[in-house]
Amino acid sequence: MLAAFLYASCSSPEGKPFVVSYADRIIGEYPNFGSNEIAKRAVMDSIQVLGKSYIGESPKTLNGVDFKFEELFENGDSVSALFSAIDCISDIEDKSGAHKYIITPIEIRVLGRVDSQTAAKLDGNSIYHIDGVLHAWDDKDRFLAHRNTGGKLFFGTYILDNMNVKSVSNE
């Protein structure tokens, strides 16, 4: 029941978000990634290849993911907004039999310029869907490194051009 609730938070009307399906697949291949450095490297290498593959394109990784507004960064007359995925979870059966499920939270960050009108309306209590063209992908958690990310699968920070922020609803 809890897993169904958590999954619903990251799901879209079209079904399971691409990033959840991707995480399910790589965690299924390397269910020991949390305790085995070689498996962890293989998972992280796969995520890096995925992230960088979308440079110059609209990343499928963001489709269907719910995001929360985190912070604004002002630089002269431009404003950038930072968002984090919320309640995005990979939940697969543990074929090894050690546990019934392998439940892995997924973290994704998005950073991009917004106009001042959009910036003024961003609310940390709202849910957003985001798209745009990937300018760069960063595997370092530079913005929210103070948070405990243990046990989570970090899909990187997507730095977008032409970022489109659409309010979905309030939490």
Side-chain angles (χ1 to χ4, degrees), residues 16-103:
K16 192 183 278 195
F18 172 81
V19 71
V20 173
S21 297
Y22 189 87
D24 288 352
R25 185 181 58 76
I26 61 173
I27 292 169
E29 287 180 43
Y30 301 101
N32 60 337
F33 80 96
S35 62
N36 181 308
E37 284 302 313
I38 294 173
K40 182 177 184 174
R41 258 193 319 270
V43 168
M44 299 316 292
D45 288 349
S46 178
I47 290 171
Q48 184 175 32
V49 168
L50 174 71
K52 289 181 176 182
S53 75
Y54 289 113
I55 292 176
E57 300 177 19
S58 179
K60 284 174 47 176
T61 316
L62 307 179
N63 294 351
V65 176
D66 292 340
F67 287 93
K68 176 181 178 179
F69 165 68
E70 294 286 351
E71 189 174 352
L72 288 175
F73 301 96
E74 295 183 66
N75 184 15
D77 60 350
S78 73
V79 179
S80 294
L82 177 67
F83 296 84
S84 294
I86 54 173
D87 300 326
C88 204
I89 308 282
S90 169
D91 180 4
I92 63 170
E93 286 186 41
D94 185 356
K95 298 194 188 312
S96 74
H99 306 283
K100 186 166 179 131
Y101 298 102
I102 300 172
I103 300 172

Coordinates of all heavy atoms in Angstrom, one line a residue, residues 16-103:
K16 N 4.1 5.1 -15.8 CA 5.3 5.3 -15.0 C 6.2 6.2 -15.8 O 6.5 6.0 -17.0 CB 5.9 3.9 -14.9 CG 7.1 3.8 -13.9 CD 7.7 2.4 -13.9 CE 6.9 1.5 -13.0 NZ 7.7 0.3 -12.7
P17 N 6.8 7.2 -15.1 CA 7.8 8.1 -15.7 C 9.0 7.3 -16.3 O 9.4 6.3 -15.7 CB 8.2 9.1 -14.6 CG 7.1 9.0 -13.6 CD 6.5 7.6 -13.7
F18 N 9.6 7.8 -17.3 CA 10.7 7.2 -17.9 C 11.8 7.0 -16.9 O 12.4 5.9 -16.9 CB 11.2 8.1 -19.1 CG 12.5 7.6 -19.7 CD1 12.5 6.6 -20.6 CD2 13.7 8.2 -19.3 CE1 13.7 6.2 -21.1 CE2 14.9 7.8 -19.8 CZ 14.9 6.7 -20.7
V19 N 12.1 8.0 -16.1 CA 13.2 7.8 -15.1 C 13.0 6.7 -14.2 O 13.9 6.0 -13.8 CB 13.5 9.2 -14.4 CG1 12.4 9.5 -13.4 CG2 14.9 9.1 -13.7
V20 N 11.7 6.4 -13.8 CA 11.4 5.3 -12.9 C 11.6 4.0 -13.6 O 12.2 3.1 -13.0 CB 10.0 5.4 -12.3 CG1 9.6 4.2 -11.5 CG2 9.9 6.7 -11.4
S21 N 11.2 3.9 -14.8 CA 11.4 2.7 -15.6 C 12.9 2.4 -15.8 O 13.3 1.3 -15.7 CB 10.7 2.8 -17.0 OG 9.3 2.9 -16.8
Y22 N 13.6 3.5 -16.1 CA 15.1 3.3 -16.3 C 15.7 2.9 -15.0 O 16.6 1.9 -15.0 CB 15.6 4.7 -16.7 CG 17.1 4.6 -17.2 CD1 17.4 4.3 -18.5 CD2 18.1 4.8 -16.3 CE1 18.7 4.2 -18.9 CE2 19.4 4.7 -16.7 CZ 19.7 4.4 -18.0 OH 21.0 4.3 -18.4
A23 N 15.4 3.5 -13.9 CA 16.0 3.1 -12.6 C 15.6 1.7 -12.2 O 16.4 0.9 -11.7 CB 15.5 4.1 -11.5
D24 N 14.3 1.3 -12.5 CA 13.9 -0.1 -12.2 C 14.8 -1.1 -13.0 O 15.2 -2.1 -12.4 CB 12.4 -0.3 -12.7 CG 11.4 0.4 -11.8 OD1 11.8 0.9 -10.7 OD2 10.2 0.4 -12.2
R25 N 15.1 -0.8 -14.2 CA 15.9 -1.7 -15.1 C 17.3 -1.8 -14.5 O 17.8 -2.9 -14.4 CB 15.9 -1.2 -16.5 CG 16.6 -2.1 -17.5 CD 16.6 -1.7 -18.9 NE 17.2 -0.4 -19.1 CZ 18.6 -0.2 -19.1 NH1 19.4 -1.1 -18.8 NH2 19.0 1.1 -19.3
I26 N 18.0 -0.6 -14.3 CA 19.4 -0.7 -13.8 C 19.5 -1.3 -12.4 O 20.5 -2.0 -12.1 CB 20.2 0.6 -14.0 CG1 19.6 1.7 -13.2 CG2 20.3 1.0 -15.4 CD1 20.4 3.0 -13.2
I27 N 18.5 -1.0 -11.6 CA 18.6 -1.6 -10.2 C 18.3 -3.1 -10.3 O 18.9 -3.9 -9.6 CB 17.6 -0.9 -9.3 CG1 18.1 0.5 -9.0 CG2 17.5 -1.6 -8.0 CD1 17.1 1.4 -8.3
G28 N 17.5 -3.5 -11.2 CA 17.2 -4.9 -11.5 C 18.5 -5.6 -11.9 O 18.8 -6.8 -11.5
E29 N 19.3 -5.0 -12.7 CA 20.6 -5.5 -13.2 C 21.6 -5.6 -12.1 O 22.5 -6.5 -12.0 CB 21.2 -4.7 -14.4 CG 20.4 -4.9 -15.7 CD 21.0 -4.1 -16.8 OE1 22.3 -4.0 -16.9 OE2 20.3 -3.4 -17.5
Y30 N 21.6 -4.5 -11.2 CA 22.6 -4.4 -10.2 C 21.9 -4.2 -8.8 O 22.1 -3.1 -8.2 CB 23.6 -3.2 -10.5 CG 24.3 -3.4 -11.8 CD1 23.9 -2.7 -12.9 CD2 25.4 -4.2 -11.8 CE1 24.6 -2.8 -14.1 CE2 26.1 -4.4 -13.0 CZ 25.7 -3.7 -14.2 OH 26.3 -3.8 -15.3
P31 N 21.2 -5.1 -8.3 CA 20.4 -4.9 -7.0 C 21.4 -4.7 -5.9 O 21.0 -4.2 -4.8 CB 19.6 -6.2 -6.9 CG 20.3 -7.2 -7.7 CD 21.0 -6.5 -8.8
N32 N 22.7 -5.0 -6.0 CA 23.6 -4.9 -5.0 C 24.4 -3.6 -5.1 O 25.4 -3.4 -4.4 CB 24.6 -6.1 -5.0 CG 25.4 -6.1 -6.3 OD1 24.9 -5.6 -7.3 ND2 26.5 -6.8 -6.3
F33 N 23.9 -2.6 -5.8 CA 24.7 -1.4 -6.1 C 24.9 -0.6 -4.8 O 25.8 0.2 -4.7 CB 24.0 -0.5 -7.1 CG 22.8 0.3 -6.6 CD1 23.0 1.7 -6.2 CD2 21.5 -0.2 -6.5 CE1 21.9 2.4 -5.7 CE2 20.5 0.5 -6.0 CZ 20.7 1.9 -5.6
G34 N 24.1 -0.8 -3.8 CA 24.3 -0.1 -2.5 C 25.4 -0.6 -1.7 O 26.0 0.1 -0.8
S35 N 25.8 -1.9 -1.9 CA 26.9 -2.5 -1.1 C 28.1 -3.0 -1.9 O 29.0 -3.5 -1.3 CB 26.3 -3.7 -0.3 OG 25.8 -4.7 -1.3
N36 N 28.1 -2.8 -3.2 CA 29.2 -3.2 -4.0 C 29.7 -2.1 -4.9 O 28.9 -1.6 -5.7 CB 28.7 -4.4 -4.9 CG 29.7 -5.0 -5.8 OD1 30.4 -4.3 -6.5 ND2 29.9 -6.3 -5.7
E37 N 30.9 -1.7 -4.7 CA 31.5 -0.5 -5.4 C 31.5 -0.7 -6.9 O 31.3 0.3 -7.7 CB 32.9 -0.2 -4.9 CG 32.9 0.5 -3.5 CD 32.1 1.8 -3.5 OE1 32.2 2.7 -4.5 OE2 31.2 2.0 -2.6
I38 N 31.8 -1.9 -7.4 CA 31.8 -2.1 -8.9 C 30.4 -2.0 -9.4 O 30.2 -1.3 -10.5 CB 32.4 -3.5 -9.2 CG1 33.9 -3.5 -8.8 CG2 32.2 -3.8 -10.7 CD1 34.6 -4.8 -8.9
A39 N 29.4 -2.5 -8.8 CA 28.0 -2.4 -9.2 C 27.6 -1.0 -9.1 O 26.9 -0.5 -10.1 CB 27.1 -3.3 -8.3
K40 N 27.9 -0.2 -8.1 CA 27.6 1.2 -7.9 C 28.2 2.0 -9.1 O 27.5 2.8 -9.7 CB 28.1 1.7 -6.6 CG 27.7 3.2 -6.4 CD 28.2 3.6 -5.0 CE 27.7 5.0 -4.7 NZ 28.0 5.4 -3.4
R41 N 29.4 1.7 -9.5 CA 30.1 2.4 -10.6 C 29.3 2.1 -11.9 O 29.1 3.0 -12.7 CB 31.5 2.0 -10.7 CG 32.5 3.1 -10.2 CD 33.9 2.8 -10.6 NE 34.4 1.5 -10.5 CZ 35.0 0.9 -9.5 NH1 35.1 1.5 -8.4 NH2 35.4 -0.4 -9.6
A42 N 28.9 0.9 -12.1 CA 28.2 0.5 -13.3 C 26.8 1.3 -13.4 O 26.5 1.8 -14.4 CB 27.9 -1.0 -13.4
V43 N 26.2 1.4 -12.2 CA 24.9 2.1 -12.2 C 25.1 3.6 -12.5 O 24.5 4.2 -13.3 CB 24.2 1.9 -10.8 CG1 23.0 2.9 -10.7 CG2 23.7 0.5 -10.7
M44 N 26.1 4.2 -11.8 CA 26.4 5.6 -12.0 C 26.9 5.9 -13.4 O 26.6 6.9 -14.0 CB 27.4 6.1 -11.0 CG 26.9 5.9 -9.5 SD 25.2 6.5 -9.2 CE 25.3 8.2 -9.5
D45 N 27.7 5.0 -14.0 CA 28.1 5.2 -15.4 C 26.9 5.2 -16.4 O 26.9 6.0 -17.3 CB 29.1 4.1 -15.8 CG 30.5 4.2 -15.2 OD1 30.8 5.3 -14.6 OD2 31.3 3.2 -15.3
S46 N 26.0 4.3 -16.1 CA 24.8 4.2 -16.9 C 24.0 5.5 -16.8 O 23.5 6.0 -17.8 CB 23.9 3.0 -16.5 OG 22.7 3.0 -17.2
I47 N 23.9 6.1 -15.6 CA 23.1 7.3 -15.4 C 23.9 8.5 -16.1 O 23.2 9.3 -16.7 CB 23.0 7.6 -13.9 CG1 22.0 6.6 -13.3 CG2 22.5 9.0 -13.7 CD1 21.8 6.6 -11.8
Q48 N 25.2 8.5 -16.1 CA 26.0 9.5 -16.7 C 25.8 9.5 -18.2 O 25.6 10.5 -18.9 CB 27.5 9.4 -16.4 CG 28.3 10.5 -16.9 CD 29.7 10.4 -16.5 OE1 30.3 9.3 -16.2 NE2 30.4 11.5 -16.3
V49 N 25.8 8.3 -18.8 CA 25.6 8.1 -20.3 C 24.2 8.6 -20.6 O 24.1 9.4 -21.6 CB 25.8 6.7 -20.7 CG1 25.4 6.5 -22.1 CG2 27.3 6.3 -20.6
L50 N 23.2 8.3 -19.8 CA 21.9 8.7 -20.1 C 21.8 10.3 -20.0 O 21.3 10.9 -20.9 CB 20.9 8.1 -19.1 CG 19.5 8.7 -19.1 CD1 18.8 8.1 -20.4 CD2 18.7 8.3 -17.9
G51 N 22.3 10.9 -18.9 CA 22.2 12.3 -18.8 C 22.9 13.1 -19.9 O 22.3 14.0 -20.5
K52 N 24.1 12.7 -20.3 CA 24.8 13.4 -21.3 C 24.2 13.1 -22.7 O 24.4 13.9 -23.6 CB 26.3 13.0 -21.3 CG 27.0 13.5 -20.1 CD 28.4 13.2 -20.1 CE 29.2 13.8 -18.9 NZ 30.6 13.5 -18.9
S53 N 23.5 12.0 -22.9 CA 22.9 11.7 -24.2 C 21.9 12.7 -24.7 O 21.6 12.8 -25.8 CB 22.3 10.3 -24.2 OG 21.1 10.3 -23.5
Y54 N 21.3 13.5 -23.7 CA 20.3 14.4 -24.1 C 20.8 15.9 -24.3 O 19.9 16.8 -24.6 CB 19.2 14.4 -23.0 CG 18.4 13.2 -23.0 CD1 18.4 12.3 -21.9 CD2 17.5 12.9 -24.0 CE1 17.7 11.1 -21.9 CE2 16.8 11.7 -24.0 CZ 16.9 10.9 -23.0 OH 16.1 9.7 -23.0
I55 N 22.0 16.1 -24.3 CA 22.5 17.5 -24.5 C 22.1 17.9 -25.9 O 22.3 17.3 -26.9 CB 24.1 17.5 -24.3 CG1 24.4 17.3 -22.8 CG2 24.6 18.9 -24.8 CD1 25.9 17.2 -22.5
G56 N 21.5 19.1 -25.9 CA 21.0 19.7 -27.1 C 19.5 19.2 -27.4 O 19.0 19.6 -28.4
E57 N 19.0 18.4 -26.6 CA 17.6 17.9 -26.8 C 16.8 18.0 -25.5 O 17.3 18.4 -24.5 CB 17.7 16.4 -27.1 CG 18.5 16.0 -28.3 CD 18.6 14.5 -28.5 OE1 17.7 13.8 -27.9 OE2 19.5 14.1 -29.2
S58 N 15.5 17.7 -25.6 CA 14.6 17.7 -24.5 C 14.7 16.3 -23.8 O 14.5 15.3 -24.4 CB 13.2 17.9 -25.0 OG 12.3 17.8 -23.9
P59 N 15.2 16.3 -22.5 CA 15.5 15.0 -21.9 C 14.2 14.3 -21.4 O 13.4 14.8 -20.7 CB 16.3 15.4 -20.7 CG 16.1 16.9 -20.4 CD 15.6 17.5 -21.7
K60 N 14.1 13.1 -21.9 CA 12.9 12.2 -21.5 C 13.0 11.9 -20.0 O 11.9 11.6 -19.4 CB 13.0 10.9 -22.2 CG 12.6 10.9 -23.7 CD 12.8 9.6 -24.4 CE 12.3 8.4 -23.8 NZ 12.5 7.2 -24.6
T61 N 14.1 12.1 -19.4 CA 14.3 11.8 -18.0 C 13.4 12.6 -17.1 O 12.9 12.2 -16.0 CB 15.8 12.1 -17.6 OG1 16.6 11.5 -18.5 CG2 16.1 11.5 -16.2
L62 N 13.0 13.8 -17.6 CA 12.1 14.7 -16.8 C 10.6 14.5 -17.0 O 9.8 15.0 -16.2 CB 12.5 16.2 -17.2 CG 14.0 16.6 -17.1 CD1 14.1 18.0 -17.5 CD2 14.5 16.3 -15.7
N63 N 10.3 13.8 -18.1 CA 8.9 13.5 -18.4 C 8.1 12.8 -17.3 O 8.5 11.8 -16.8 CB 8.7 12.7 -19.7 CG 9.2 13.5 -20.9 OD1 9.6 14.6 -20.8 ND2 9.3 12.7 -22.0
G64 N 7.0 13.4 -16.9 CA 6.1 12.8 -15.9 C 6.6 12.9 -14.4 O 5.9 12.4 -13.5
V65 N 7.7 13.6 -14.2 CA 8.3 13.7 -12.8 C 7.7 15.0 -12.2 O 7.7 16.0 -12.8 CB 9.8 13.8 -12.9 CG1 10.4 14.0 -11.4 CG2 10.4 12.5 -13.4
D66 N 7.3 14.9 -11.0 CA 6.8 16.0 -10.2 C 8.0 16.7 -9.6 O 8.9 16.0 -8.9 CB 5.8 15.6 -9.1 CG 4.5 15.1 -9.7 OD1 4.2 15.4 -10.8 OD2 3.8 14.4 -8.9
F67 N 8.1 18.0 -9.7 CA 9.2 18.8 -9.1 C 8.7 19.8 -8.1 O 7.6 20.4 -8.3 CB 10.0 19.5 -10.2 CG 10.8 18.6 -11.1 CD1 10.3 18.1 -12.3 CD2 12.1 18.3 -10.7 CE1 11.1 17.2 -13.0 CE2 12.9 17.4 -11.5 CZ 12.4 16.9 -12.6
K68 N 9.5 20.2 -7.2 CA 9.3 21.2 -6.2 C 10.3 22.3 -6.4 O 11.5 22.0 -6.6 CB 9.4 20.6 -4.8 CG 9.3 21.6 -3.7 CD 9.4 20.9 -2.4 CE 9.3 21.9 -1.2 NZ 9.5 21.4 0.1
F69 N 9.8 23.5 -6.3 CA 10.7 24.7 -6.4 C 11.6 24.8 -5.2 O 11.1 24.6 -4.0 CB 9.9 26.0 -6.5 CG 10.7 27.2 -6.3 CD1 11.7 27.6 -7.2 CD2 10.4 28.0 -5.2 CE1 12.4 28.8 -6.9 CE2 11.1 29.2 -4.9 CZ 12.1 29.6 -5.8
E70 N 12.9 24.9 -5.3 CA 13.8 25.0 -4.2 C 14.4 26.4 -4.0 O 14.4 26.9 -2.8 CB 15.0 24.1 -4.5 CG 14.7 22.6 -4.5 CD 14.4 22.0 -3.1 OE1 14.6 22.7 -2.1 OE2 13.9 20.9 -3.1
E71 N 14.9 27.1 -5.0 CA 15.6 28.3 -4.8 C 15.8 29.1 -6.0 O 15.8 28.5 -7.1 CB 17.0 28.0 -4.2 CG 17.8 29.1 -3.7 CD 19.1 28.6 -3.0 OE1 19.3 27.4 -2.8 OE2 19.9 29.5 -2.7
L72 N 15.9 30.4 -5.9 CA 16.2 31.3 -7.0 C 17.6 31.8 -6.9 O 18.1 32.1 -5.8 CB 15.2 32.5 -7.0 CG 13.8 32.3 -7.4 CD1 13.0 33.6 -7.3 CD2 13.7 31.8 -8.8
F73 N 18.3 32.0 -8.0 CA 19.6 32.6 -8.1 C 19.6 33.8 -9.0 O 19.2 33.6 -10.2 CB 20.6 31.5 -8.6 CG 20.7 30.3 -7.8 CD1 20.0 29.2 -8.1 CD2 21.5 30.2 -6.6 CE1 20.0 28.0 -7.4 CE2 21.6 29.1 -5.9 CZ 20.8 28.0 -6.2
E74 N 19.9 34.9 -8.5 CA 19.9 36.1 -9.3 C 21.3 36.5 -9.7 O 22.2 36.5 -8.9 CB 19.2 37.3 -8.6 CG 17.8 37.1 -8.3 CD 17.1 38.2 -7.6 OE1 17.0 39.3 -8.3 OE2 16.7 38.1 -6.5
N75 N 21.5 36.8 -11.0 CA 22.8 37.2 -11.5 C 22.6 38.4 -12.4 O 22.2 38.2 -13.6 CB 23.5 36.1 -12.2 CG 24.9 36.4 -12.6 OD1 25.5 37.4 -12.2 ND2 25.5 35.6 -13.5
G76 N 22.8 39.6 -11.9 CA 22.5 40.8 -12.8 C 21.0 40.8 -13.1 O 20.2 40.8 -12.2
D77 N 20.7 40.9 -14.4 CA 19.3 40.9 -14.7 C 18.7 39.6 -15.1 O 17.6 39.5 -15.6 CB 19.1 41.9 -15.9 CG 19.9 41.5 -17.1 OD1 20.7 40.6 -17.0 OD2 19.6 42.1 -18.2
S78 N 19.4 38.5 -14.8 CA 18.8 37.2 -15.1 C 18.6 36.4 -13.8 O 19.2 36.6 -12.8 CB 19.8 36.3 -16.0 OG 20.9 35.9 -15.3
V79 N 17.6 35.6 -13.9 CA 17.2 34.8 -12.7 C 17.1 33.3 -13.1 O 16.5 33.0 -14.2 CB 15.8 35.2 -12.2 CG1 15.4 34.4 -11.0 CG2 15.8 36.7 -11.8
S80 N 17.7 32.5 -12.3 CA 17.6 31.0 -12.5 C 16.9 30.4 -11.4 O 17.0 30.8 -10.2 CB 19.0 30.4 -12.7 OG 19.7 30.9 -13.8
A81 N 16.2 29.3 -11.7 CA 15.4 28.6 -10.6 C 15.9 27.2 -10.6 O 16.2 26.5 -11.6 CB 13.9 28.6 -11.0
L82 N 15.9 26.7 -9.3 CA 16.3 25.3 -9.1 C 15.2 24.5 -8.6 O 14.4 25.0 -7.7 CB 17.5 25.3 -8.0 CG 18.0 23.9 -7.5 CD1 18.7 23.2 -8.7 CD2 18.9 24.1 -6.3
F83 N 15.0 23.3 -9.1 CA 13.9 22.4 -8.7 C 14.4 21.1 -8.4 O 15.5 20.7 -8.9 CB 12.9 22.3 -9.9 CG 12.2 23.5 -10.3 CD1 12.8 24.4 -11.2 CD2 10.9 23.8 -9.8 CE1 12.2 25.6 -11.6 CE2 10.3 25.0 -10.2 CZ 10.9 25.9 -11.1
S84 N 13.7 20.3 -7.5 CA 14.1 19.0 -7.2 C 12.9 18.1 -7.4 O 11.7 18.4 -7.1 CB 14.5 18.9 -5.7 OG 15.7 19.6 -5.5
A85 N 13.1 16.8 -7.9 CA 12.1 15.8 -8.0 C 11.6 15.5 -6.6 O 12.3 15.5 -5.6 CB 12.6 14.6 -8.7
I86 N 10.3 15.3 -6.5 CA 9.7 14.9 -5.2 C 9.0 13.5 -5.3 O 8.4 13.2 -6.3 CB 8.7 16.0 -4.7 CG1 7.6 16.3 -5.7 CG2 9.4 17.2 -4.3 CD1 6.5 17.2 -5.2
D87 N 9.2 12.8 -4.3 CA 8.5 11.5 -4.1 C 8.7 10.6 -5.4 O 7.7 9.9 -5.7 CB 7.0 11.7 -3.8 CG 6.8 12.4 -2.5 OD1 7.7 12.3 -1.6 OD2 5.9 13.2 -2.4
C88 N 9.8 10.6 -5.9 CA 10.1 9.7 -7.1 C 10.8 8.5 -6.6 O 11.9 8.6 -6.1 CB 10.9 10.5 -8.1 SG 10.8 10.0 -9.8
I89 N 10.2 7.3 -6.9 CA 10.7 6.1 -6.2 C 10.8 4.9 -7.3 O 9.8 4.7 -8.0 CB 9.7 5.6 -5.1 CG1 9.5 6.7 -4.1 CG2 10.2 4.3 -4.5 CD1 10.5 7.0 -3.1
S90 N 11.9 4.2 -7.2 CA 12.0 2.9 -8.0 C 11.6 1.8 -6.9 O 12.1 1.8 -5.8 CB 13.4 2.7 -8.5 OG 13.5 1.4 -8.9
D91 N 10.7 1.0 -7.3 CA 10.2 -0.1 -6.4 C 10.1 -1.4 -7.2 O 9.1 -1.5 -8.0 CB 8.9 0.4 -5.9 CG 8.2 -0.6 -4.9 OD1 8.9 -1.6 -4.6 OD2 7.1 -0.3 -4.5
I92 N 11.1 -2.2 -7.0 CA 11.1 -3.5 -7.8 C 11.1 -4.7 -6.9 O 11.6 -4.6 -5.7 CB 12.2 -3.6 -8.8 CG1 13.6 -3.6 -8.1 CG2 12.2 -2.4 -9.8 CD1 14.8 -3.9 -9.0
E93 N 10.7 -5.8 -7.4 CA 10.8 -7.1 -6.6 C 12.2 -7.4 -6.4 O 13.0 -7.3 -7.4 CB 10.0 -8.2 -7.2 CG 8.5 -8.1 -7.1 CD 7.8 -9.3 -7.7 OE1 8.3 -10.4 -7.4 OE2 6.8 -9.1 -8.4
D94 N 12.6 -7.9 -5.2 CA 14.0 -8.4 -5.0 C 14.0 -9.9 -5.4 O 13.6 -10.7 -4.6 CB 14.3 -8.2 -3.5 CG 15.8 -8.5 -3.2 OD1 16.5 -9.0 -4.1 OD2 16.2 -8.3 -2.1
K95 N 14.6 -10.1 -6.5 CA 14.7 -11.5 -7.0 C 15.7 -12.4 -6.2 O 15.6 -13.6 -6.3 CB 15.1 -11.5 -8.5 CG 14.0 -10.8 -9.3 CD 14.2 -11.1 -10.8 CE 13.3 -10.3 -11.7 NZ 11.9 -10.2 -11.4
S96 N 16.5 -11.7 -5.4 CA 17.5 -12.5 -4.6 C 16.8 -13.2 -3.4 O 17.3 -14.1 -2.8 CB 18.6 -11.6 -4.1 OG 18.1 -10.8 -3.1
G97 N 15.6 -12.6 -3.0 CA 14.9 -13.2 -1.9 C 15.3 -12.6 -0.6 O 14.7 -13.0 0.4
A98 N 16.2 -11.7 -0.6 CA 16.7 -11.1 0.7 C 15.6 -10.3 1.3 O 15.4 -10.2 2.5 CB 17.9 -10.3 0.5
H99 N 14.8 -9.6 0.4 CA 13.7 -8.7 0.8 C 12.6 -8.9 -0.2 O 12.9 -9.4 -1.3 CB 14.1 -7.2 0.9 CG 15.3 -7.0 1.7 ND1 15.3 -6.9 3.1 CD2 16.6 -6.8 1.4 CE1 16.5 -6.7 3.6 NE2 17.3 -6.6 2.5
K100 N 11.4 -8.4 0.1 CA 10.4 -8.5 -0.9 C 10.6 -7.5 -2.0 O 10.3 -7.8 -3.1 CB 9.0 -8.3 -0.2 CG 7.9 -8.6 -1.1 CD 6.6 -8.7 -0.4 CE 5.5 -8.9 -1.4 NZ 4.6 -10.0 -1.1
Y101 N 11.0 -6.3 -1.6 CA 11.2 -5.2 -2.6 C 12.5 -4.5 -2.4 O 13.0 -4.5 -1.3 CB 10.0 -4.2 -2.5 CG 8.7 -4.7 -2.8 CD1 7.8 -5.0 -1.8 CD2 8.2 -5.0 -4.1 CE1 6.5 -5.5 -2.0 CE2 7.0 -5.5 -4.4 CZ 6.1 -5.8 -3.3 OH 4.9 -6.3 -3.5
I102 N 13.0 -3.9 -3.5 CA 14.1 -3.0 -3.4 C 13.5 -1.6 -3.7 O 13.0 -1.4 -4.8 CB 15.2 -3.3 -4.4 CG1 15.8 -4.7 -4.2 CG2 16.3 -2.3 -4.4 CD1 16.7 -5.2 -5.3
I103 N 13.4 -0.8 -2.7 CA 12.8 0.5 -2.8 C 13.9 1.6 -2.8 O 14.7 1.6 -1.9 CB 11.8 0.8 -1.7 CG1 10.7 -0.3 -1.8 CG2 11.3 2.2 -1.8 CD1 9.8 -0.3 -0.6

